Amino acid sequence: MSATAILIHIIGGVCLLLWGVRLVSTGLNRAFGAELRRFITRSTKNRFLGLFSGAAIAMGLQSSTAVTLIAASFASKGLLSTLAGISLVLGADIGTTLAAQILIFDLDWLVPVMLFSGYSLTRIKKGGGYYKYLGNAFLGIALILLSLQIVVDVSAPLRDSEALHVLIIPLSQEPVLAILFAAILTWLVHSSLAMVLLFASFTLTGAIPVMLGLVLVLGANLGSGIIAYVDTLSEKSVGRRIPLANLIMRFAGIVFVMPFIHLIQPFLVDLSTDPARMLVNFHTAFNIGLAIMMLPFIGFINKIVSRILPDKSSADDKDQPRYLDYSAFETPQAALASAERETLRISDTVSRMMKNTLEVLRTDNAEMMRKVSKSDNRVDILYDAVKKYLARITNESLTEKEAIRHQQILSFATNLEHIGDIIDKSLLELCDKKIRKHLTFSDEGFKEISEAYHHVLENLTLAQHVFMTNDLKMARQLFHGKMKLREMEIQTSEKHMRRLREGVSETHSTSSLHLDVFRDLRRIQSYLTMVGYPTLEEAGELHRSRLKEA
């Protein structure tokens, strides 16, 4: 076989390896993504638990980078502390080495089994895509094993290649250059696991010496830290601290190990004389040793990265989306969860607008009225961001259940934006009219308005719970809240007319104002009630029409 043919086969094998790693990572992420994220938030209460959790998750995802990106995303949203995130990624680095330990075995017999199982699972239509993603993971494992077999078989003749010796000699003589070369290569292919397995296969055939392989493994570990840090440059400072801490720890570990690397090889030989196994064992030992060495000092490392990347506070930050994770589109469950949190933030802003508007009606505070109007601008900005974010989640990548949730999030966000407009363009105009004309509600009239306001605010909180849980009992309660507000409006209209007949002066001056406030509150309540319709309709508790059949 010619050198060109060998090179083409190796490049093909590497591409197959990367494709396999990506299939495993994406498949397991899609199949168990929600469970993994819940597991992360619950299992990082102390550094040791975080370490073991990171190792377990990385073994499943076949990628420490994926775990680091998830941790950075969670930290940006305030769901994970930097301290817990650092212990998590230390464990994740160990987890990928354990995955390499398994994959380096002679598992050629497993390739047809995984191909058949994976293909069979992808043909199952049930489970909302769960079996399809699990099947993709099985196919990925088969591709990884197949690619390693191809690279090992094809690279054997390279042992005597002069061109390869020309490259190996300077790398062997300049370990720093070899580390940088491996780090850049790892960053380009975006997988340290793939590169470690590739270097192991080269040492197995004798294409590169074991000592150079050990140095290249160190470079792959450095490249792994670079991948996560570069991929989170767009995150907030608090989110970037975890990958930066990981990169600093990896660099410190390499600097510590490098002078003693010649002394390490004899210990590796005692464990196994297989060159490929020696590299994988070194990879595992390096990461376990790094975790043992760094775990007691993660508090100090946290202080360092906090100084390098301090929090940036800006007045404009309040008007910008906080929870939309633009790196999560490959995992629709995570992307939808991000949109949910941002929509709840819109809901909280609308709730404050409601409370402040009632305060303006009570105190005639013009400054607070302007503050409420600015809050509506924030609602518009956040709604536009959520709408564009949801538009980037394509229907083709969603399961039926996820597509329904996608529509629910968009619908609730749209309704909240309409409520913000009602407050800004109608209720605030009524407040402005009251202030300009120096009008005053009667004590009884304002009490009725206040009760109605608090009723709608309670239903706004209830709507948030229905939005998050689709709870049938709460959806019924929300629907009854709409009818109760209607009854309150009828009762207050009757009382209002009675006060007019009795000649209460404040009632005469604020008559239209009083009724208009109730009209707007009913419109707001109607938009809130709509969030419960899908739950009630699914339970068969809604009539299709209020009209009698002909």
Side-chain angles (χ1 to χ4, degrees):
M1 187 181 293
S2 66
T4 305
I6 292 173
L7 185 61
I8 291 173
H9 276 80
I10 290 176
I11 292 173
V14 172
C15 292
L16 206 61
L17 179 65
L18 293 173
W19 187 19
V21 171
R22 187 170 184 80
L23 270 177
V24 174
S25 177
T26 306
L28 292 176
N29 208 344
R30 290 297 307 273
F32 306 107
E35 290 78 5
L36 287 173
R37 282 163 176 78
R38 282 195 291 270
F39 181 66
I40 287 174
T41 54
R42 292 173 184 171
S43 60
T44 53
K45 295 179 181 178
N46 64 66
R47 59 186 68 183
F48 293 105
L49 193 58
L51 187 75
F52 290 116
S53 301
I57 296 166
M59 274 199 73
L61 294 181
Q62 303 280 299
S63 173
S64 59
T65 302
V67 178
T68 307
L69 293 177
I70 292 171
S73 174
F74 276 32
S76 293
K77 298 170 188 174
L79 299 175
L80 189 70
S81 68
T82 306
L83 210 62
I86 294 172
S87 65
L88 193 77
V89 297
L90 277 174
D93 293 328
I94 295 174
T96 51
T97 71
L98 299 178
Q101 289 282 0
I102 296 170
L103 292 172
I104 202 65
F105 278 110
D106 185 10
L107 300 173
D108 295 347
W109 60 270
L110 199 56
V111 173
V113 174
M114 284 294 178
L115 285 173
F116 178 76
S117 302
Y119 176 77
S120 301
L121 286 171
T122 57
R123 308 310 297 173
I124 299 175
K125 303 296 182 183
K126 299 178 182 179
Y130 170 81
Y131 294 106
K132 175 186 173 183
Y133 304 133
L134 199 58
N136 285 341
F138 281 11
L139 290 174
I141 293 172
L143 292 180
I144 291 172
L145 297 173
L146 188 61
S147 64
L148 291 174
Q149 184 181 343
I150 291 172
V151 171
V152 168
D153 291 344
V154 173
S155 60
L158 288 177
R159 197 180 323 181
D160 304 319
S161 172
E162 294 183 6
L164 187 63
H165 282 284
V166 171
L167 178 64
I168 288 173
I169 290 171
L171 290 179
S172 300
Q173 294 174 347
E174 298 291 340
V176 175
L177 180 64
I179 288 173
L180 291 175
F181 172 76
I184 293 170
L185 202 59
T186 302
W187 174 69
L188 287 173
V189 301
H190 259 58
S191 175
S192 60
L193 174 62
M195 294 313 301
V196 169
L197 294 175
L198 184 66
F199 296 148
S201 66
F202 280 165
T203 55
L204 182 64
T205 59
I208 60 174
V210 172
M211 185 56 65
L212 177 59
L214 299 180
V215 175
L216 292 175
V217 166
L218 289 178
N221 278 275
L222 181 63
S224 174
I226 295 172
I227 294 168
Y229 183 71
V230 171
D231 285 355
T232 55
L233 286 177
S234 60
E235 289 279 357
K236 297 178 182 177
S237 297
V238 67
R240 292 165 56 202
R241 288 172 190 165
I242 294 173
L244 177 60
N246 185 39
L247 183 58
I248 290 172
M249 291 186 295
R250 316 217 125 256
F251 181 77
I254 291 168
V255 170
F256 179 79
V257 168
M258 212 37 231
F260 308 103
I261 197 162
H262 291 282
L263 303 175
I264 294 172
Q265 188 174 356
F267 293 99
L268 295 173
V269 173
D270 292 340
L271 293 174
S272 175
T273 55
D274 180 3
R277 177 62 60 185
M278 288 171 64
L279 256 65
V280 174
N281 287 341
F282 175 66
H283 182 45
T284 303
F286 173 77
N287 283 279
I288 292 176
L290 187 68
I292 294 172
M293 184 173 66
M294 292 296 178
L295 200 60
F297 302 104
I298 60 174
F300 176 69
I301 295 167
N302 181 29
K303 290 179 181 178
I304 293 175
V305 294
S306 297
R307 284 196 172 190
I308 298 173
L309 296 171
D311 290 322
K312 295 180 181 179
S313 57
S314 170
D316 295 334
D317 285 348
K318 294 181 179 179
D319 296 335
Q320 298 304 318
R322 293 177 184 171
Y323 305 113
L324 299 181
D325 185 359
Y326 291 91
S327 65
F329 288 118
E330 289 187 4
T331 311
Q333 287 177 332
L336 292 176
S338 298
E340 284 174 1
R341 284 185 59 79
E342 200 65 55
T343 303
L344 287 176
R345 185 177 169 218
I346 298 173
S347 179
D348 290 338
T349 305
V350 169
S351 178
R352 286 192 295 272
M353 289 172 68
M354 287 284 294
K355 293 173 184 175
N356 290 340
T357 307
L358 178 61
E359 187 66 15
V360 173
L361 286 172
R362 188 178 69 83
T363 63
D364 293 343
N365 189 330
E367 179 61 32
M368 185 169 286
M369 187 173 69
R370 285 189 287 272
K371 180 181 176 183
V372 174
S373 184
K374 287 182 180 179
S375 294
D376 182 56
N377 293 335
R378 182 183 307 159
V379 168
D380 292 339
I381 291 169
L382 296 179
Y383 167 67
D384 188 57
V386 169
K387 183 174 62 175
K388 290 178 179 177
Y389 183 84
L390 289 171
R392 290 180 62 179
I393 306 174
T394 58
N395 287 331
E396 291 79 8
S397 64
L398 299 176
T399 64
E400 184 180 351
K401 186 178 179 181
E402 289 168 348
I404 293 171
R405 188 58 181 161
H406 182 280
Q407 185 57 41
Q408 287 176 338
I409 297 169
L410 180 60
S411 177
F412 189 47
T414 303
N415 290 340
L416 289 171
E417 195 271 339
H418 290 330
I419 292 172
D421 287 342
I422 293 170
I423 296 171
D424 183 42
K425 296 178 174 58
S426 189
L427 280 173
L428 285 187
E429 285 187 9
L430 297 176
C431 293
D432 184 57
K433 179 180 177 181
K434 180 176 180 289
I435 293 171
R436 281 188 293 103
K437 295 188 176 183
H438 304 288
L439 303 177
T440 306
F441 290 111
S442 66
D443 291 341
E444 188 179 359
F446 185 75
K447 182 181 178 182
E448 292 165 3
I449 289 174
S450 182
E451 287 175 354
Y453 251 96
H454 285 104
H455 176 76
V456 174
L457 280 168
E458 288 174 3
N459 280 279
L460 175 54
T461 302
L462 190 61
Q464 291 176 332
H465 290 304
V466 173
F467 170 67
M468 290 304 296
T469 64
N470 288 321
D471 185 83
L472 181 59
K473 184 178 179 181
M474 289 183 178
R476 285 199 207 101
Q477 192 178 339
L478 190 61
F479 198 83
H480 289 311
K482 179 180 179 181
M483 294 186 289
K484 183 179 178 181
L485 184 65
R486 173 62 179 159
E487 292 169 2
M488 292 172 70
E489 184 183 24
I490 293 171
Q491 291 172 5
T492 197
S493 296
E494 292 172 351
K495 292 176 183 178
H496 186 73
M497 295 306 294
R498 176 178 54 77
R499 289 193 294 271
L500 282 174
R501 288 193 295 269
E502 291 173 354
V504 179
S505 59
E506 292 92 342
T507 303
H508 275 283
S509 61
T510 60
S511 179
S512 63
L513 205 65
H514 187 106
L515 297 176
D516 285 346
V517 169
F518 264 87
R519 175 205 65 197
D520 289 337
L521 291 178
R522 275 194 65 203
R523 290 167 62 198
I524 291 171
Q525 178 65 49
S526 295
Y527 280 121
L528 293 177
T529 306
M530 289 174 68
V531 75
Y533 280 13
T535 305
L536 293 168
E537 190 172 7
E538 186 179 355
E541 298 196 13
L542 283 183
H543 293 294
R544 296 193 64 177
S545 172
R546 296 179 66 179
L547 292 172
K548 290 183 179 179
E549 292 185 7

